Amino acid sequence: MAVESVSRTAQENGSSRRHARIGILGAGFGGIGMAIRLKQAGIEDFVIWERDDGLGGTWWANSYPGCQCDIPSHLYSFSFAPNPEWTRTYPLQPELKRYLRSVADRFGIADHVHIGCEVTAAQWDDAAGVWRIETARGPFTVELLIAAPGFLSEPSTPDLPGLADFEGTTFHTARWNHDHDLTGRLVAVIGTGASAIQVVPRMQPVVEHLDVFQRTPPWVMPHRDRPITEAERRIYRRFPTLQRLVRAGVYWVRELLVPASSIGPGSCGCLSASPGATSSVTLRIPTCAPGSLRATCSAASGCFHRTTGIRP
Ligand SMILES: Cc1cc2nc3c(=O)[nH]c(=O)nc-3n(C[C@H](O)[C@H](O)[C@H](O)COP(=O)(O)OP(=O)(O)OC[C@H]3O[C@@H](n4cnc5c(N)ncnc54)[C@H](O)[C@@H]3O)c2cc1C
C-alpha cells in the first residue's frame, strides 16, 4: 500500500483562488473519482470542497473497530487505479482511507481540495452565469457545480425520548469515541445494519454486558475475508491483468447473486438470518426476500452468539 500522502491540500499550498470552472462538493470516492476523470480529460480548473478535515468521505468519517468494506477490494476500488498492495480481501477502514489519499496524491488531486470547508449555500446567478457558493471558508464562484455529498459519513442519530438527558456516554459509529474504553462496560447498540454487524463482534468480547436493539432484521452473508499473501501481491504487481480478471470475476459473481437473491430465501443457500443460531436471544427472522433489503456481511459466524440480549 502506498505511504500516507505527501501532497498538500489547497490550503496548505496557500491557494487563494476564489473562482474555478468546476466545483465539486465532497472528497469521498465520488468526488475524488470525478476529479480524476476531469484531470484525465485535460481539465485542471476545478476545486473540491470537503467539510471534514481530511479526504476519504465515508472512509475518513467511519473509524469504528471492525470497519471494513463488504465488497472485495479488488472490485471496491477505482477501475483505473487497481491496488496490488491490498493486504486483505476486505480491507479495514485505515487501508481504504490510505488508498483514497494515495490515489488523490498520485493523480494530483489533493492540491485542489479545500478541507474543513463546508458548503453552506449554492445559488445560480443567471446574469453572471455562475454558481455563487458560500462555504465555511468564504465565497467561491464556479460555472459548473458537481455534488458528491454521499450520506454515510454523516451520523443519523435516532430521535429517542430522553436521549439528551442520558448520563452515560453515547456516540455514533460514524463518530467513534476512541478515548472511551469499553472494557467491562454495560453497552447497548441500536441497530443491526452493516455497521453493527461489523462492530458488535469486536466489542462483545470486552464488554461486561451487551444489548443489541433490532428493528428490521437484515440478512447476513458470510464475509470471506482473508489476508492476501505477499506471494499473491507479488503476482498482482507483476501481472496486473490477473488482478483485472479477479476484479471481473468478483463483479460477475456479485451480479449473478442479484437475481438469485430477489426470488426468496430458499434460493440463497449462503444467506442466513441475523443474528445467527443462538439459544439465549429473541430472534427475528427477515420476512422479505434477501435481495429486497441491503444484505449485511459478517466474517464472524453467529456473530451475536454471546450477546446477552437482542431486543426486538
Ligand atoms: C462501513 C461501510 C462499509 C461500506 N462498504 C461498502 C462496500 O463494500 N461497497 C460499496 O459499494 N459501498 C460501501 N459503502 C458505502 C460507501 O459509503 C460508498 O461506497 C462510498 O464510499 C460513498 O462515496 P461518496 O463519495 O458518494 O460519499 P462519501 O464517502 O460519504 O463522501 C461524501 C463527502 O462529502 C462531504 N460533504 C457532504 N456535504 C458537504 C458539504 N455541504 N460541504 C462540504 N463537504 C460535504 C462529506 O463530508 C464526505 O466527505 C460502505 C459504507 C460504510 C459506512
Side-chain angles (χ1 to χ4, degrees), residues 25-32 49-52 54-62 64 66-72 76 90 96 100 117-120 148-154 175 194-195 198 294:
L25 187 160
F29 254 109
I32 292 173
W49 306 289
E50 171 51 58
R51 72 175 165 203
D52 286 335
L55 308 190
T58 295
W59 302 107
W60 190 90
N62 287 272
Y64 57 83
C67 181
Q68 66 188 138
C69 54
D70 36 40
I71 299 289
Y76 191 61
Y90 296 81
L96 290 157
L100 276 168
C117 187
E118 180 167 16
V119 172
T120 51
F151 60 99
L152 290 177
S153 60
E154 190 158 355
R175 295 287 181 275
S195 297
Q198 293 180 344
R294 183 176 183 268

Side-chain angles (χ1 to χ4, degrees), residues 38-51:
L38 289 179
K39 282 234 167 199
Q40 290 175 334
I43 300 169
E44 292 282 342
D45 188 9
F46 65 88
V47 289
I48 307 179
W49 306 289
E50 171 51 58
R51 72 175 165 203

Side-chain angles (χ1 to χ4, degrees), residues 239-303:
F239 306 105
T241 309
L242 191 63
Q243 196 176 17
R244 291 186 197 281
L245 282 175
V246 173
R247 179 185 174 93
V250 175
Y251 173 81
W252 281 111
V253 168
R254 296 273 155 171
E255 284 297 294
L256 292 172
L257 270 178
V258 174
S261 64
S262 62
I263 300 166
S267 65
C268 297
C270 64
L271 296 177
S272 63
S274 163
T278 174
S279 55
S280 63
V281 300
T282 309
L283 286 176
R284 290 183 70 209
I285 307 295
T287 50
C288 56
S292 61
L293 194 67
R294 183 176 183 268
T296 56
C297 299
S298 173
S301 90
C303 61

